[in-house]
Amino acid sequence: MSTDYTKVFQDAEAVEKYESVTYAPDTYASRINERQRAYLRGLVTREFDGRPPVQHDFACGTGRAIRTLHGLVRAAHGYDTSAEMMAKAAEVGSRAEFHQVAADGPVPEPVPAALPAIVTMFRLLLNVDAGVRDRALAFAAKVLPTPRSGMLVVENHGNARSVRHLRARRHSGKQWFAELSHQQVGELLGRHGFEIVERRGFSMLTPSLHEHPLARAADAAARRFPGSDAFAVNVLYAARRVG
C-alpha cells in the first residue's frame, strides 16, 4: 500500500470518517457495497460448492469485505498497513484475525491456512502505484498457487471506460482522478498467473449523480443489460490461477 494511504489512515479521525461518513447508510458508497455484498455471497456459494473457503482480505481497511462473507467462510484474515483501520474493523464487528503488514519491501507472507481460499482486494488498485499493485497480486499468488486453490476478487472503482472518464474529457482532457481500464486490470492479473473468469459492474453513476431519482432509475435499468459492466464506474473481477 502506498505511503499516502499509510499516512492518511494512521489518523483515527480519518478512519472514523471513512467508516461512518463515506459508508453511512444510503450513501453512494454504501449502495454499491450492498450490491457487491449480494454478488460476492452468491459467488462464494456457487463457486465453492459447499466447501467454505478461508478468506484473505488484503488492504482490509475497516473490514467491509470480511463482514460481507460472515457465515460463508471457515476463517478470515485481514491484512493492512494501518493498525487504526484494523482496530476499527474489530470494533464494528469484523470477525477475523488481523495482521499489520509493511507499506513496502518484500511481498507479505499470507498466514498459513487450509485451502480452498478466497482473496479479496477492495478499493486498493486505484489508491496505489503500479509497484504496489504488483506486490498485492504477488501476495494473492502466494495464497492461490493453483486453479483449484480458490478465487481472487478485486475491485476497480474507477473504470476508464465509464461515465466518470467522459466527465474528465469535459475538463480539457485533464486526468483529475485515478482510473484503470479493463485491459489494464486483465494485464495486471495476467502477469501474476491469474485469468479473469467473471466481471460485474455495480453502478453507471458518479457520486454527484446518485441523488437524482431519474439517474438512479436509468442506472438500475442499464445494469440489467448484458455487457453493461464494460461501462460501469465500479467493477469487480473474479479470477483464478491459470493451470
Side-chain angles (χ1 to χ4, degrees), residues 7-227:
K7 288 180 178 178
V8 168
F9 290 114
Q10 300 300 335
D11 180 76
E13 185 176 340
V15 172
E16 180 61 34
K17 181 179 179 182
Y18 181 80
E19 178 64 22
S20 62
V21 177
T22 302
Y23 282 93
D26 210 33
T27 59
Y28 176 78
S30 66
R31 286 175 184 155
I32 290 176
N33 185 56
E34 289 166 5
R35 296 169 197 157
Q36 290 178 335
R37 182 181 187 276
Y39 168 75
L40 195 57
R41 289 184 69 85
L43 179 75
V44 169
T45 301
R46 181 177 78 242
E47 294 292 333
F48 287 92
D49 194 29
R51 297 179 63 208
V54 173
Q55 182 181 15
H56 298 263
D57 189 27
F58 196 74
C60 65
T62 58
R64 286 180 304 107
I66 291 168
R67 295 194 299 277
T68 287
L69 294 182
H70 277 174
L72 294 182
V73 298
R74 283 176 292 160
H77 297 276
Y79 306 79
D80 206 283
T81 59
S82 169
E84 286 76 10
M85 282 291 236
M86 292 185 290
K88 175 58 70 173
E91 178 186 320
V92 298
S94 306
R95 298 192 295 272
E97 292 184 30
F98 294 100
H99 314 276
Q100 189 169 11
V101 298
D104 51 26
V107 177
E109 289 294 329
V111 174
L115 296 172
I118 182 167
V119 177
T120 47
M121 294 181 186
F122 282 68
R123 297 188 75 87
L124 173 67
L125 298 187
L126 291 189
N127 296 333
V128 297
D129 61 30
V132 180
R133 290 175 193 145
D134 278 310
R135 185 169 176 260
L137 268 294
F139 169 88
K142 286 188 174 186
V143 177
L144 304 169
T146 71
R148 295 179 63 84
S149 299
M151 299 196 76
L152 166 67
V153 179
V154 300
E155 179 186 36
N156 174 11
H157 61 290
N159 171 26
R161 294 187 66 193
S162 69
V163 172
R164 184 172 179 257
H165 176 80
L166 295 177
R167 289 190 67 211
R169 299 286 295 178
R170 292 166 51 195
H171 291 74
S172 303
K174 294 179 181 178
Q175 185 172 344
W176 45 281
F177 48 71
E179 60 181 12
L180 287 170
S181 67
H182 297 311
Q183 181 179 345
Q184 287 173 307
V185 174
E187 289 173 351
L188 170 64
L189 271 60
R191 284 199 299 273
H192 296 276
F194 287 96
E195 179 180 34
I196 296 171
V197 296
E198 193 166 299
R199 186 178 75 187
R200 182 68 60 89
F202 295 90
S203 180
M204 312 291 282
L205 303 180
T206 59
S208 62
L209 291 173
H210 94 284
E211 292 296 346
H212 295 270
L214 288 178
R216 286 163 58 178
D219 176 46
R223 284 186 279 110
R224 295 190 182 97
F225 285 95

